[in-house]
Amino acid sequence: MKTLLVKTHEAWLATLMAAFMSKTTENKRVLTEFSDILWRHFTWIEHDLIRREIDYDYHRENIPIKVERLKVMLADIIRRLNDLELLLVRCEDEALKERIRTDLEYMRYALGRLEDEEVTAFDMNRRYRNIELDREATDALTLFLFEESYKEYELIMIYNYLKAHSDDAFLNWIFQILIDESFFHLRSFGEMMAEMGILGVPRVIHESLYKVSDIEKFLLDGIEEEIAAKDQCKELSDAVASKSDELAKFFDFINYQENYHIELMREAVAHYRQKRAHG
């Protein structure tokens, strides 16, 4: 089951990256929906491991995605889904096994019917929607997207791990909001990276980041990181403001969203302290 978790993690990320690189409406829709299904599979398998008290981590192999045609990526995803079906034999939960098996069967069928397309997500053009940015603004945007796409992936995995190991309904409500927000940010940044020809898979995160021993310290550190992220968004907005009102407003929008994240984490800290005090 631990191997099934790892391989589902890899299939989810590969499918998500393929959704970013696709430029056709139908392909992007199907790949996005299937990545969502694979993410749900991942969380269900994780729950089964926890229920059976099997230790696990979020380590995975690197995922090569640099292709010139989408059909190459689709074939790779189908191969991954075939591997997952073979690994299902180790799943003892018959209902879960059957749900995943039938999902995989349909996904393989649907992926095999998608139209091929040229992929330009790796051509290093570094242009976004024909917006004219100078070298300094382009470099700032490039660096921001690489750093923040990794950070959002990291936050998804951290908050998911915390939620999976918590039975506190209030904290889990907050963790789920933060997971959903990070998914939105990751998808936004991933789409931008693909259009700019700089798409990349986030690097593997170390287990020390998500196996948190001091939740209060983690949340307090997270508040400081969100404040720093706000400053980065403001700096980026300022850097592109004279060239693109669209980009400036988008990064202001992301900046303002961080305010709610900070408030949610403050509420989580207060709740955690109160719960510990009544302990």
Side-chain angles (χ1 to χ4, degrees), residues 9-36 39 60 63 65-67 69-70 73-74 77 111 114 117-123 125 127-129 145-146 148-154 156 179-203 250:
H9 187 170
E10 293 168 359
W12 159 62
L13 262 184
T15 308
L16 184 63
M17 293 297 117
F20 293 160
M21 66 181 73
S22 173
K23 298 187 293 291
T24 66
T25 301
E26 180 63 9
N27 286 356
K28 188 176 290 291
R29 180 190 67 80
V30 170
L31 288 163
T32 299
E33 289 178 351
F34 286 178
S35 72
D36 288 343
W39 171 256
R60 59 172 172 81
I63 303 170
I65 63 169
K66 194 171 182 179
V67 299
R69 306 292 308 185
L70 188 68
M73 196 67 193
L74 295 177
I77 294 169
L111 290 171
L114 293 183
E117 59 180 289
E118 180 185 8
V119 173
T120 60
F122 312 101
D123 65 9
N125 69 81
R127 290 175 63 87
Y128 182 68
R129 295 185 181 176
L145 290 174
F146 272 110
E148 292 303 302
S149 62
Y150 168 70
K151 189 198 83 169
E152 297 301 345
Y153 165 72
E154 177 184 283
I156 289 168
I179 291 168
D180 293 341
E181 293 282 270
S182 286
F183 261 114
F184 170 70
H185 288 181
L186 177 59
R187 283 174 171 151
S188 297
F189 300 152
E191 296 281 354
M192 294 180 73
M193 293 174 77
E195 184 163 345
M196 293 175 68
I198 56 172
L199 183 62
V201 180
R203 61 188 181 273
F250 173 74

Side-chain angles (χ1 to χ4, degrees), residues 60-251:
R60 59 172 172 81
E61 298 301 319
N62 291 325
I63 303 170
I65 63 169
K66 194 171 182 179
V67 299
E68 295 181 357
R69 306 292 308 185
L70 188 68
K71 66 180 181 181
V72 179
M73 196 67 193
L74 295 177
D76 180 68
I77 294 169
I78 291 171
R79 175 189 62 78
R80 292 178 186 278
L81 301 187
N82 287 334
D83 292 344
L84 290 179
E85 185 167 33
L86 293 175
L87 289 168
L88 275 175
V89 68
R90 304 176 188 177
C91 181
E92 297 179 5
D93 184 326
E94 290 298 326
L96 177 60
K97 179 193 294 185
E98 183 63 11
R99 167 59 194 269
I100 293 176
R101 185 192 66 77
T102 54
D103 281 355
L104 296 178
E105 181 179 343
Y106 176 73
M107 286 191 285
R108 289 198 304 268
Y109 165 77
L111 290 171
R113 293 171 60 85
L114 293 183
E115 294 292 331
D116 186 26
E117 59 180 289
E118 180 185 8
V119 173
T120 60
F122 312 101
D123 65 9
M124 299 293 292
N125 69 81
R126 299 215 301 164
R127 290 175 63 87
Y128 182 68
R129 295 185 181 176
N130 295 318
I131 296 170
E132 294 291 340
L133 297 177
D134 59 27
R135 178 63 178 272
E136 182 180 0
T138 299
D139 288 347
L141 178 57
T142 300
L143 180 61
F144 176 89
L145 290 174
F146 272 110
E147 289 181 345
E148 292 303 302
S149 62
Y150 168 70
K151 189 198 83 169
E152 297 301 345
Y153 165 72
E154 177 184 283
L155 290 175
I156 289 168
M157 303 313 298
I158 292 171
Y159 287 124
N160 182 73
Y161 190 89
L162 291 175
K163 181 173 180 284
H165 290 268
S166 170
D167 58 3
D168 186 304
F170 182 76
L171 287 179
N172 283 350
W173 172 71
I174 289 177
F175 292 152
Q176 187 59 57
I177 291 174
L178 295 172
I179 291 168
D180 293 341
E181 293 282 270
S182 286
F183 261 114
F184 170 70
H185 288 181
L186 177 59
R187 283 174 171 151
S188 297
F189 300 152
E191 296 281 354
M192 294 180 73
M193 293 174 77
E195 184 163 345
M196 293 175 68
I198 56 172
L199 183 62
V201 180
R203 61 188 181 273
V204 177
I205 65 174
H206 194 273
E207 64 180 313
S208 62
L209 291 173
Y210 52 86
K211 293 189 175 181
V212 178
S213 58
D214 187 336
I215 293 180
E216 181 178 341
K217 183 179 184 302
F218 165 76
L219 290 168
L220 290 171
D221 290 344
I223 291 169
E224 295 302 315
E225 289 178 9
E226 292 287 3
I227 292 172
K230 281 177 56 62
D231 291 339
Q232 281 186 300
C233 283
K234 183 64 171 61
E235 289 174 6
L236 190 55
S237 176
D238 292 343
V240 302
S242 63
K243 300 294 183 180
S244 170
D245 185 60
E246 177 186 350
L247 281 176
K249 288 188 179 300
F250 173 74
F251 286 110

Side-chain angles (χ1 to χ4, degrees), residues 39-78:
W39 171 256
R40 290 198 294 274
H41 289 180
F42 177 83
T43 62
W44 297 341
I45 296 165
E46 180 178 32
H47 175 74
D48 189 61
L49 288 169
I50 293 170
R51 182 172 58 86
R52 294 198 283 136
E53 299 183 340
I54 298 174
D55 189 38
Y56 67 95
D57 57 48
Y58 285 162
H59 181 73
R60 59 172 172 81
E61 298 301 319
N62 291 325
I63 303 170
I65 63 169
K66 194 171 182 179
V67 299
E68 295 181 357
R69 306 292 308 185
L70 188 68
K71 66 180 181 181
V72 179
M73 196 67 193
L74 295 177
D76 180 68
I77 294 169
I78 291 171

